[in-house]
Amino acid sequence: MGVNTSTKKKGLFNKFLDVIEVVGNKLPDPVTLFAIFGLLVIVISHFAAKAGVMVEFESINRATGALEPQRVEAVSLLTKAGIRRIFSEAVTNFTGFPPLGTVLVAMLGVGVAEGTGLIGAALRKLVLSTPKRLITAVVVFAGIMSNIASDAGYVVLVPLGALVFISFKRHPLAGLAAAFAGVSGGFSANLLFGTIDTLLGGISGAAASMIQPGYEVGITANWYFMLVSTFVITAVGTFVTERIVEPRLGEYKGESNVEIEEISAKESKGLMWAGISLLAYIGILLALTLPENAILRSDAGKLLSGSAFMAGMVPIIAAFFLIPGIAYGIAAGTVKSDKDIAKHMGKAMSSMGGYLVLAFVASQFIAYFSWTNLGTILAVNGADFLKAINLTGAPLLIGFILVSGFINLFIGSASAKWAIMAPVFVPMFMQLGYSPEFTQLAYRIGDSTTNIISPLMSYFAIVIAFAQKYDKKTGIGTLIATMLPYSMLFLLFWTLLFLVWFTFRIPLGPDAFIRL
């Protein structure tokens, strides 16, 4: 992701991005930087606690839906209890780091699919059958749609985006950026529903019940808007990739390369059996999920909320690659015995060494930030500020989107932020005549668009690790500079779409409207 050193005259925006990249990359290695961030949090927490920094607010209990008063104070980690916690929970911070298990389990399946040759053959098939002008849009769109599979898109599609682009003789880091933009920046857009719709809807309904007891916000509350958003974000992501990111990256001169060769007879046979095995696997999944009392549904019969299907999404995705990978290998002759499969899994794990080091340090930093309550204090103060400036109409709505995006830089969890913000803004907007569904929609725009530029986002570290495979000099500054155009234009065009919906009073979803 190095700066393109072409002598062509650069615009002010590209110069601005270059400054961000150069300054950011003059900082230490990401591992060292996260360690420094952790130390800064420890020191800042001490002074904040000494100064008595605290906030009082009411938040939604996500388990009961009840509104509960909260008092949160800054907690110093430079105390006997804090220092003990730093040492005693270091291992559990690492092993409990959300992306860690997701990445390692998913890579078991992906490693087999890659080692047997399935991914390479499938990518060549894609390259040979997809018009070149559509490939960027395909990568961004696939990233957006991957959100239905929870966080698997970060592990699977982000590195695959790089491989797809290099297959087309394009810069692999442009493909990585396009996939990352779709997966993370377009997190709230989709053609289908996901767990985030259930989580946010439950919190919104509980907050709305403060004004109208028993109010419910359904899973389809924002569907119409998010459906259209999918195509808007795909178009914007494609434009940014091809007109801003790729020209800035310049020609790729690294060693990694994927030769585009015709599919051989053995590979065709392998792809056929991989497809058959995948269809069989999908058939088994449907049998385990579609019936009303299916095994992978929750005890209440729900597929998305509290189900084993959603809780087990990572091994499901791993098997999605593992089973066709084995079938391909046997049919194509690249797998002779079970030892070959184990070897590919081991090789996939050995390639994750750099990520494991980075994940260890990043997990400590994120844990410290959570323990000190600094993120919650920032979030509540940001909400109070927006409430205090007394805006109305479109300026209020835009201000709310911007504040949501700013707070997202410090608290990654969409539901955790909404549990704090919903009790303030849902009733406030209801008093102005706006529905809880509309307030939730505005929040989701801000919550999505700044994911890709926040080092506090759990998967930020793994994206850096993936990028370093193609450019070892990639650092936090490089990734932020590359993703900033996506963040800015996603925010701009999503907000414009939001204002169009607002101006013409278009329904947000089935039985979900802007006004009460």
Side-chain angles (χ1 to χ4, degrees), residues 481-503:
T482 302
M483 301 311 299
L484 187 59
Y486 293 102
S487 184
M488 294 172 65
L489 290 182
F490 280 2
L491 180 61
L492 172 62
F493 281 92
W494 226 338
T495 302
L496 289 175
L497 181 64
F498 176 82
L499 292 176
V500 168
W501 235 262
F502 173 65
T503 302

Side-chain angles (χ1 to χ4, degrees), residues 163-232:
L163 288 173
V164 169
F165 267 48
I166 205 170
S167 298
F168 276 86
K169 307 297 183 184
R170 296 170 66 181
H171 204 298
L173 296 181
L176 180 144
F180 184 33
V183 171
S184 194
F187 182 71
S188 277
N190 212 296
L191 302 181
L192 305 172
F193 316 122
T195 51
I196 191 65
D197 297 281
T198 304
L199 285 171
L200 297 185
I203 295 170
S204 300
S209 295
M210 297 163 58
I211 303 294
Q212 294 184 19
Y215 196 106
E216 293 185 1
V217 175
I219 191 174
T220 61
N222 301 144
W223 184 36
Y224 296 162
F225 184 88
M226 291 306 165
L227 191 151
V228 174
S229 296
T230 302
F231 299 103
V232 171

Side-chain angles (χ1 to χ4, degrees), residues 63-142:
T64 65
L67 187 66
E68 297 178 350
Q70 302 282 342
R71 176 188 173 94
V72 173
E73 301 175 349
V75 176
S76 172
L77 294 182
L78 284 178
T79 61
K80 183 186 292 185
I83 293 171
R84 285 175 175 173
R85 191 173 191 186
I86 288 171
F87 280 92
S88 63
E89 297 189 27
V91 174
T92 53
N93 289 342
F94 177 53
T95 57
F97 190 45
L100 185 65
T102 302
V103 171
L104 296 182
V105 173
M107 284 302 293
L108 290 173
V110 173
V112 171
E114 185 174 12
T116 59
L118 171 59
I119 290 179
L123 284 175
R124 296 210 318 277
K125 187 79 172 177
L126 175 69
V127 169
L128 293 169
S129 59
T130 304
K132 186 175 181 180
R133 60 188 175 83
L134 294 180
I135 199 63
T136 307
V138 168
V139 170
V140 177
F141 178 77

Side-chain angles (χ1 to χ4, degrees), residues 267-316:
E267 288 173 327
S268 293
K269 182 180 178 182
L271 287 173
M272 180 186 71
W273 281 103
I276 292 171
S277 68
L278 184 59
L279 288 174
Y281 175 61
I282 291 173
I284 292 171
L285 274 181
L286 292 175
L288 294 173
T289 54
L290 286 186
E292 196 171 327
N293 60 344
I295 293 174
L296 293 183
R297 285 180 177 265
S298 69
D299 291 338
K302 294 182 178 179
L303 182 60
L304 296 178
S305 179
S307 70
F309 175 69
M310 293 309 300
M313 186 57 71
V314 175
I316 288 172

Side-chain angles (χ1 to χ4, degrees), residues 380-442:
V380 173
N381 284 330
D384 288 344
F385 167 77
L386 184 58
K387 189 175 180 181
I389 59 178
N390 203 27
L391 291 174
T392 57
L396 171 64
L397 299 169
I398 293 171
F400 178 56
I401 291 172
L402 294 175
V403 167
S404 299
F406 176 74
I407 292 173
N408 187 52
L409 294 172
F410 304 98
I411 301 179
S413 170
S415 56
K417 286 193 302 293
W418 194 224
I420 295 170
M421 296 175 69
V424 176
F425 290 107
V426 168
M428 183 176 88
F429 278 55
M430 288 177 76
Q431 297 287 359
L432 297 173
Y434 300 123
S435 70
E437 292 87 349
F438 188 55
T439 308
Q440 175 181 285
L441 176 61

